[in-house]
Amino acid sequence: NKVIATARAVQIFHEKGYSGQIGAILNPEVTYARSSSPADQKAARMYDLLYNRIFLDPLVKGEYPEELFGLLEKHGVAVEYTQEELLIIKENTVDFISFSYYVSVCESADPSRVAGEGNLIGGAKNPYLKESEWGWQIDPQGIRFVLNRFYNRWQKPLFIVENGLGAKDELIDDGQGGKTVNDDYRIQYLNDHLVQVGEAIEDGVPVMGYTTWGCIDLVSASTAQLAKRYGFIYVDRHDDGSGTMARYRKKSFWWYKDIIASDGAKLKK
């Protein structure tokens, strides 16, 4: 139903002759096999099928991966659809792919594997990566990996619409009569990811744009907390509802301003 609804929106957009392009957003699961075991390799492939290709193949190529139908039949799952619906999907594919990226995951066939604490949709813990305060595994190289992988498979321009680090920020005096947050950890996270985006562009990937999550602190969608802050601007509001709602620019605000003004030239590789 999601895929059909998206295809119908694309159809209407193009039939109405609106200017611009229309795409779809996915929260992809960037997946590595936990080991070189054939069973783990298969598990990673199935993970990619069920969380990525099941949506992007029909949205971009106009058809579902054949592997999916065999899997559904094997497990006795019947999906009802009409030939007219398949035709709508076939004829109304997106102009570009947009996606959010925060973490990568591992997958393993081992039922005793330890799950990554911050993984949104399962997956095993990756022992080679550092984690955020909420257990989200930090993998800057993963964003280059997914950009190349998506473009190689679907040959569509790509737009990164979410990327950022949730952290507990401490509001301090800035020494000039105001307040700020020295969030060097956020600067490091964003710097490292943007460097990898630049590497992907050099690889030949057409990256349409990049936006962070988010501009100001707000309630975290994953934990319903205000304590998990993402923004460049600190909002004086707390989980218990207290606070003045005053805004304060963090150190990352000024850093990101310089990165934009320099078109990325001030990134540290």
Side-chain angles (χ1 to χ4, degrees):
N1 288 336
K2 288 182 180 180
V3 171
I4 294 169
T6 302
R8 284 285 292 122
V10 171
Q11 181 182 33
I12 293 168
F13 182 89
H14 288 151
E15 287 180 350
K16 295 289 185 180
Y18 296 124
S19 61
Q21 297 178 317
I22 185 168
I25 179 174
L26 183 77
N27 181 22
E29 292 296 312
V30 182
T31 313
Y32 308 119
R34 180 64 180 81
S35 75
S36 56
S37 157
D40 282 359
Q41 297 293 322
K42 178 181 178 182
R45 191 181 80 250
M46 287 295 100
Y47 201 89
D48 179 54
L49 170 68
L50 295 174
Y51 289 111
N52 296 329
R53 289 188 286 138
I54 192 175
F55 297 110
L56 285 177
D57 268 10
L59 291 177
V60 181
K61 297 171 63 178
E63 55 190 26
Y64 285 94
E66 286 298 325
E67 193 175 9
L68 174 65
F69 294 106
L71 187 66
L72 293 175
E73 184 178 354
K74 177 181 177 181
H75 291 278
V77 178
V79 180
E80 294 184 2
Y81 55 85
T82 67
Q83 291 303 311
E84 180 184 5
E85 290 170 335
L86 291 180
L87 187 61
I88 290 173
I89 294 170
K90 183 72 175 178
E91 295 181 344
N92 299 283
T93 54
V94 296
D95 300 320
F96 64 90
I97 302 168
S98 58
F99 65 93
S100 57
Y101 178 84
Y102 297 96
V103 299
S104 62
V105 302
C106 284
E107 191 51 89
S108 172
D110 183 358
S112 65
R113 71 187 188 279
V114 177
E117 181 182 345
N119 294 355
L120 296 177
I121 312 177
K125 185 181 180 66
N126 190 330
Y128 299 101
L129 298 177
K130 295 180 180 179
E131 298 177 349
S132 73
E133 294 175 272
W134 274 266
W136 289 33
Q137 295 160 103
I138 300 172
D139 182 13
Q141 292 183 12
I143 200 168
R144 180 183 181 184
F145 173 80
V146 72
L147 283 166
N148 275 280
R149 187 173 185 178
F150 277 16
Y151 185 62
N152 288 339
R153 181 172 180 84
W154 290 296
Q155 296 289 299
K156 292 283 187 178
L158 298 163
F159 197 138
I160 305 153
V161 295
E162 289 185 35
N163 177 233
L165 175 68
K168 295 177 181 177
D169 293 337
E170 180 183 1
L171 191 65
I172 61 172
D173 293 333
D174 64 3
Q176 301 176 352
K179 294 182 180 297
T180 189
V181 174
N182 286 331
D183 54 342
D184 291 312
Y185 40 86
R186 181 169 292 109
I187 291 172
Q188 187 70 58
Y189 176 98
L190 293 171
N191 179 90
D192 293 349
H193 282 75
L194 283 168
V195 165
Q196 293 298 319
V197 172
E199 295 287 344
I201 292 172
E202 291 184 8
D203 293 336
V205 179
V207 179
M208 296 175 64
Y210 169 95
T211 56
T212 65
W213 185 270
C215 179
I216 67 171
D217 291 339
L218 71 171
V219 177
S220 169
S222 60
T223 66
Q225 291 176 288
L226 277 158
K228 187 179 184 182
R229 299 177 181 273
Y230 283 88
F232 296 116
I233 300 171
Y234 184 96
V235 179
D236 184 26
R237 188 75 170 182
H238 309 286
D239 290 339
D240 62 2
S242 64
T244 64
M245 297 293 285
R247 270 74 162 161
Y248 304 94
R249 284 170 285 199
K250 304 176 187 179
K251 185 177 180 179
S252 59
F253 176 95
W254 304 107
W255 171 84
Y256 197 50
K257 180 177 182 290
D258 286 343
I259 296 302
I260 293 172
S262 70
D263 196 23
K266 291 188 176 182
L267 291 170
K268 294 181 180 180
K269 296 186 178 181

